Short mmCIF file of all heavy atoms in Angstrom, two decimals:
data_model
loop_
_atom_site.label_atom_id
_atom_site.label_comp_id
_atom_site.label_asym_id
_atom_site.label_seq_id
_atom_site.Cartn_x
_atom_site.Cartn_y
_atom_site.Cartn_z
N THR A 117 0.91 -1.17 0.01
CA THR A 117 0.07 0.07 0.00
C THR A 117 0.88 1.24 -0.02
O THR A 117 1.82 1.32 0.78
CB THR A 117 -0.84 0.00 1.25
OG1 THR A 117 -1.69 -1.19 1.31
CG2 THR A 117 -1.90 1.20 1.18
N LEU A 118 0.56 2.19 -0.86
CA LEU A 118 1.26 3.43 -1.02
C LEU A 118 0.36 4.53 -0.52
O LEU A 118 -0.87 4.71 -0.95
CB LEU A 118 1.66 3.68 -2.45
CG LEU A 118 1.96 5.09 -2.80
CD1 LEU A 118 3.20 5.54 -2.11
CD2 LEU A 118 2.18 5.22 -4.35
N ILE A 119 0.81 5.32 0.41
CA ILE A 119 0.10 6.52 0.93
C ILE A 119 0.99 7.75 0.78
O ILE A 119 2.13 7.71 1.34
CB ILE A 119 -0.33 6.42 2.42
CG1 ILE A 119 -1.27 5.15 2.57
CG2 ILE A 119 -1.03 7.68 2.90
CD1 ILE A 119 -1.76 4.96 3.94
N GLU A 120 0.55 8.75 0.03
CA GLU A 120 1.36 9.91 -0.24
C GLU A 120 0.93 11.02 0.75
O GLU A 120 -0.23 11.28 1.06
CB GLU A 120 1.17 10.34 -1.62
CG GLU A 120 1.84 9.44 -2.67
CD GLU A 120 1.59 10.02 -4.08
OE1 GLU A 120 0.57 10.32 -4.39
OE2 GLU A 120 2.70 10.01 -4.89
N THR A 121 1.92 11.80 1.28
CA THR A 121 1.63 12.95 2.13
C THR A 121 2.59 14.04 1.70
O THR A 121 3.63 13.85 1.14
CB THR A 121 1.91 12.60 3.57
OG1 THR A 121 3.28 12.18 3.78
CG2 THR A 121 1.04 11.50 4.11
N PRO A 122 2.16 15.31 1.96
CA PRO A 122 3.07 16.41 1.71
C PRO A 122 4.44 16.34 2.38
O PRO A 122 4.49 15.97 3.50
CB PRO A 122 2.32 17.73 2.14
CG PRO A 122 0.92 17.29 2.14
CD PRO A 122 0.91 15.83 2.51
N SER A 123 5.46 16.56 1.52
CA SER A 123 6.77 16.36 2.10
C SER A 123 7.20 17.36 3.19
O SER A 123 6.89 18.65 3.04
CB SER A 123 7.87 16.43 0.98
OG SER A 123 9.09 16.22 1.52
N VAL A 124 7.75 16.93 4.35
CA VAL A 124 8.20 17.76 5.32
C VAL A 124 9.37 18.61 5.01
O VAL A 124 9.57 19.77 5.28
CB VAL A 124 8.33 17.11 6.70
CG1 VAL A 124 8.93 18.02 7.79
CG2 VAL A 124 7.14 16.39 7.06
N GLY A 125 10.30 18.04 4.20
CA GLY A 125 11.55 18.58 3.96
C GLY A 125 11.68 19.35 2.66
O GLY A 125 12.64 19.97 2.44
N ALA A 126 10.67 19.19 1.80
CA ALA A 126 10.72 19.82 0.51
C ALA A 126 9.24 20.33 0.12
O ALA A 126 8.43 19.51 -0.06
CB ALA A 126 11.22 18.95 -0.56
N PRO A 127 9.06 21.64 0.05
CA PRO A 127 7.78 22.23 -0.39
C PRO A 127 7.46 21.73 -1.80
O PRO A 127 8.28 21.54 -2.56
CB PRO A 127 8.04 23.74 -0.23
CG PRO A 127 9.23 23.92 0.55
CD PRO A 127 10.07 22.72 0.39
N LYS A 128 6.14 21.63 -1.91
CA LYS A 128 5.54 21.20 -3.21
C LYS A 128 6.03 19.90 -3.71
O LYS A 128 6.01 19.58 -4.85
CB LYS A 128 5.95 22.22 -4.38
CG LYS A 128 5.40 23.63 -4.05
CD LYS A 128 5.77 24.59 -5.17
CE LYS A 128 5.22 26.00 -4.93
NZ LYS A 128 5.64 26.89 -6.01
N SER A 129 6.47 19.02 -2.70
CA SER A 129 6.82 17.64 -2.97
C SER A 129 6.06 16.76 -2.16
O SER A 129 5.40 17.06 -1.17
CB SER A 129 8.31 17.42 -2.80
OG SER A 129 9.15 18.27 -3.64
N TRP A 130 6.13 15.37 -2.54
CA TRP A 130 5.25 14.44 -1.81
C TRP A 130 6.16 13.33 -1.38
O TRP A 130 7.15 12.91 -2.03
CB TRP A 130 4.13 13.86 -2.71
CG TRP A 130 3.15 14.85 -3.00
CD1 TRP A 130 3.12 15.82 -4.03
CD2 TRP A 130 1.88 15.06 -2.39
NE1 TRP A 130 2.05 16.54 -4.01
CE2 TRP A 130 1.25 16.13 -3.07
CE3 TRP A 130 1.23 14.47 -1.32
CZ2 TRP A 130 0.05 16.58 -2.70
CZ3 TRP A 130 0.09 14.88 -0.94
CH2 TRP A 130 -0.66 15.91 -1.63
N ASP A 131 5.91 12.89 -0.12
CA ASP A 131 6.63 11.62 0.44
C ASP A 131 5.74 10.44 0.29
O ASP A 131 4.50 10.58 0.42
CB ASP A 131 6.93 11.90 1.88
CG ASP A 131 8.00 12.93 2.14
OD1 ASP A 131 8.67 13.31 1.22
OD2 ASP A 131 8.05 13.52 3.26
N ALA A 132 6.31 9.37 -0.02
CA ALA A 132 5.53 8.10 -0.16
C ALA A 132 5.73 7.11 1.00
O ALA A 132 6.90 6.84 1.31
CB ALA A 132 5.85 7.49 -1.53
N HIS A 133 4.77 6.72 1.64
CA HIS A 133 4.84 5.84 2.73
C HIS A 133 4.30 4.50 2.28
O HIS A 133 3.24 4.25 1.76
CB HIS A 133 3.88 6.27 3.93
CG HIS A 133 4.21 7.55 4.48
ND1 HIS A 133 4.79 7.80 5.70
CD2 HIS A 133 3.94 8.80 3.83
CE1 HIS A 133 4.97 9.10 5.83
NE2 HIS A 133 4.49 9.70 4.82
N PHE A 134 5.28 3.43 2.33
CA PHE A 134 5.04 2.07 1.77
C PHE A 134 4.65 1.14 2.94
O PHE A 134 5.47 1.09 3.93
CB PHE A 134 6.08 1.57 1.00
CG PHE A 134 6.24 2.28 -0.37
CD1 PHE A 134 7.14 3.34 -0.36
CD2 PHE A 134 5.57 1.97 -1.45
CE1 PHE A 134 7.31 4.05 -1.61
CE2 PHE A 134 5.67 2.56 -2.71
CZ PHE A 134 6.56 3.68 -2.78
N PHE A 135 3.55 0.39 2.83
CA PHE A 135 3.12 -0.56 3.84
C PHE A 135 2.99 -1.87 3.18
O PHE A 135 2.54 -2.07 2.05
CB PHE A 135 1.79 -0.19 4.55
CG PHE A 135 1.88 1.26 5.19
CD1 PHE A 135 1.65 2.40 4.51
CD2 PHE A 135 2.00 1.17 6.62
CE1 PHE A 135 1.72 3.61 5.19
CE2 PHE A 135 1.98 2.43 7.25
CZ PHE A 135 1.89 3.64 6.55
N CYS A 136 3.38 -2.98 3.99
CA CYS A 136 3.17 -4.38 3.53
C CYS A 136 2.20 -4.98 4.44
O CYS A 136 2.54 -5.15 5.69
CB CYS A 136 4.48 -5.17 3.47
SG CYS A 136 4.31 -6.84 2.90
N ASN A 137 0.96 -5.27 4.02
CA ASN A 137 -0.05 -5.76 4.95
C ASN A 137 -0.18 -4.91 6.19
O ASN A 137 -0.42 -5.38 7.26
CB ASN A 137 0.19 -7.24 5.35
CG ASN A 137 0.19 -8.24 4.21
OD1 ASN A 137 -0.38 -7.90 3.20
ND2 ASN A 137 0.72 -9.45 4.32
N GLY A 138 -0.23 -3.64 6.02
CA GLY A 138 -0.33 -2.66 7.04
C GLY A 138 0.86 -2.37 7.84
O GLY A 138 0.72 -1.48 8.78
N VAL A 139 1.92 -2.94 7.59
CA VAL A 139 3.18 -2.65 8.40
C VAL A 139 4.10 -1.79 7.55
O VAL A 139 4.44 -2.02 6.40
CB VAL A 139 3.94 -3.90 8.69
CG1 VAL A 139 5.30 -3.60 9.40
CG2 VAL A 139 3.07 -4.87 9.55
N LEU A 140 4.47 -0.63 8.16
CA LEU A 140 5.31 0.34 7.47
C LEU A 140 6.67 -0.29 7.06
O LEU A 140 7.39 -0.69 7.89
CB LEU A 140 5.47 1.61 8.32
CG LEU A 140 6.31 2.74 7.68
CD1 LEU A 140 5.72 3.29 6.51
CD2 LEU A 140 6.59 3.79 8.73
N LEU A 141 7.02 -0.09 5.81
CA LEU A 141 8.31 -0.54 5.31
C LEU A 141 9.33 0.61 5.23
O LEU A 141 10.43 0.41 5.54
CB LEU A 141 8.16 -1.20 3.90
CG LEU A 141 7.24 -2.40 3.79
CD1 LEU A 141 7.18 -2.89 2.30
CD2 LEU A 141 7.74 -3.62 4.71
N GLY A 142 8.83 1.73 4.76
CA GLY A 142 9.81 2.81 4.64
C GLY A 142 9.07 4.08 4.03
O GLY A 142 7.96 3.94 3.51
N VAL A 143 9.74 5.22 4.05
CA VAL A 143 9.19 6.43 3.49
C VAL A 143 10.15 7.06 2.48
O VAL A 143 11.39 7.06 2.82
CB VAL A 143 8.95 7.51 4.59
CG1 VAL A 143 8.32 8.78 4.05
CG2 VAL A 143 8.04 6.93 5.72
N SER A 144 9.69 7.45 1.42
CA SER A 144 10.61 7.88 0.35
C SER A 144 11.08 9.37 0.71
O SER A 144 10.40 10.07 1.48
CB SER A 144 9.96 7.98 -0.99
OG SER A 144 8.82 8.83 -1.02
N LEU A 145 12.15 9.90 0.13
CA LEU A 145 12.56 11.19 0.21
C LEU A 145 12.48 11.85 -1.21
O LEU A 145 12.70 11.27 -2.17
CB LEU A 145 14.08 11.26 0.68
CG LEU A 145 14.38 10.58 2.01
CD1 LEU A 145 15.88 10.57 2.35
CD2 LEU A 145 13.68 11.40 3.12
N PRO A 146 12.21 13.18 -1.20
CA PRO A 146 12.12 13.94 -2.45
C PRO A 146 13.46 14.08 -3.15
O PRO A 146 13.52 14.18 -4.42
CB PRO A 146 11.48 15.23 -2.14
CG PRO A 146 11.81 15.43 -0.58
CD PRO A 146 12.02 14.08 0.03
N TYR A 147 14.58 14.14 -2.31
CA TYR A 147 15.85 14.31 -2.94
C TYR A 147 16.98 13.41 -2.30
O TYR A 147 16.79 13.12 -1.19
CB TYR A 147 16.27 15.89 -2.73
CG TYR A 147 15.44 16.89 -3.47
CD1 TYR A 147 14.34 17.41 -2.79
CD2 TYR A 147 15.68 17.21 -4.81
CE1 TYR A 147 13.55 18.35 -3.47
CE2 TYR A 147 14.88 18.04 -5.43
CZ TYR A 147 13.82 18.64 -4.85
OH TYR A 147 13.02 19.57 -5.45
N GLY A 148 17.94 13.12 -3.10
CA GLY A 148 19.01 12.31 -2.64
C GLY A 148 20.10 13.10 -1.95
O GLY A 148 19.95 14.38 -1.76
N ILE A 149 21.15 12.50 -1.57
CA ILE A 149 22.27 13.15 -0.77
C ILE A 149 22.94 14.23 -1.57
O ILE A 149 23.50 15.07 -0.97
CB ILE A 149 23.22 12.08 -0.25
CG1 ILE A 149 23.87 11.32 -1.36
CG2 ILE A 149 22.52 11.22 0.76
CD1 ILE A 149 24.94 10.42 -0.87
N HIS A 150 22.92 14.17 -2.90
CA HIS A 150 23.71 15.08 -3.74
C HIS A 150 22.62 16.07 -4.28
O HIS A 150 22.92 16.77 -5.27
CB HIS A 150 24.50 14.49 -4.76
CG HIS A 150 25.58 13.68 -4.18
ND1 HIS A 150 26.58 14.15 -3.39
CD2 HIS A 150 25.85 12.32 -4.23
CE1 HIS A 150 27.33 13.19 -3.00
NE2 HIS A 150 26.89 12.02 -3.46
N GLY A 151 21.42 16.09 -3.82
CA GLY A 151 20.43 17.03 -4.37
C GLY A 151 19.72 16.49 -5.62
O GLY A 151 18.90 17.25 -6.28
N LEU A 152 19.94 15.21 -5.95
CA LEU A 152 19.24 14.61 -7.11
C LEU A 152 17.83 14.34 -6.73
O LEU A 152 17.50 13.80 -5.76
CB LEU A 152 19.94 13.26 -7.48
CG LEU A 152 19.39 12.54 -8.59
CD1 LEU A 152 19.64 13.19 -9.89
CD2 LEU A 152 20.02 11.08 -8.65
N LYS A 153 17.01 14.82 -7.65
CA LYS A 153 15.60 14.68 -7.52
C LYS A 153 15.13 13.14 -7.58
O LYS A 153 15.56 12.47 -8.61
CB LYS A 153 14.77 15.44 -8.60
CG LYS A 153 13.28 15.33 -8.45
CD LYS A 153 12.83 16.15 -7.24
CE LYS A 153 11.28 16.34 -7.35
NZ LYS A 153 10.54 15.07 -6.95
N LEU A 154 14.51 12.63 -6.63
CA LEU A 154 14.04 11.16 -6.64
C LEU A 154 12.60 11.11 -6.89
O LEU A 154 11.73 11.78 -6.18
CB LEU A 154 14.43 10.63 -5.19
CG LEU A 154 15.92 10.63 -4.88
CD1 LEU A 154 16.09 10.12 -3.45
CD2 LEU A 154 16.67 9.79 -5.76
N GLU A 155 12.29 10.25 -7.70
CA GLU A 155 10.84 9.91 -8.02
C GLU A 155 10.47 8.56 -7.32
O GLU A 155 11.07 7.65 -7.50
CB GLU A 155 10.66 9.79 -9.57
CG GLU A 155 10.93 11.13 -10.30
CD GLU A 155 9.97 12.20 -9.98
OE1 GLU A 155 8.87 11.98 -9.48
OE2 GLU A 155 10.27 13.38 -10.26
N HIS A 156 9.45 8.63 -6.49
CA HIS A 156 9.15 7.37 -5.73
C HIS A 156 8.26 6.52 -6.62
O HIS A 156 7.55 6.89 -7.57
CB HIS A 156 8.46 7.61 -4.43
CG HIS A 156 7.25 8.43 -4.54
ND1 HIS A 156 7.14 9.76 -4.24
CD2 HIS A 156 5.89 8.06 -4.83
CE1 HIS A 156 5.84 10.15 -4.39
NE2 HIS A 156 5.11 9.11 -4.74
#
């Protein structure tokens, strides 16, 4: 299951929360460590 929420660290971006059978697996980031834009 994917649930998107407004990103805390980057305005006008969205973070993706991934769940497996209701258990949180991880949350995506809008940008990488070198500022590379990441698409979830």
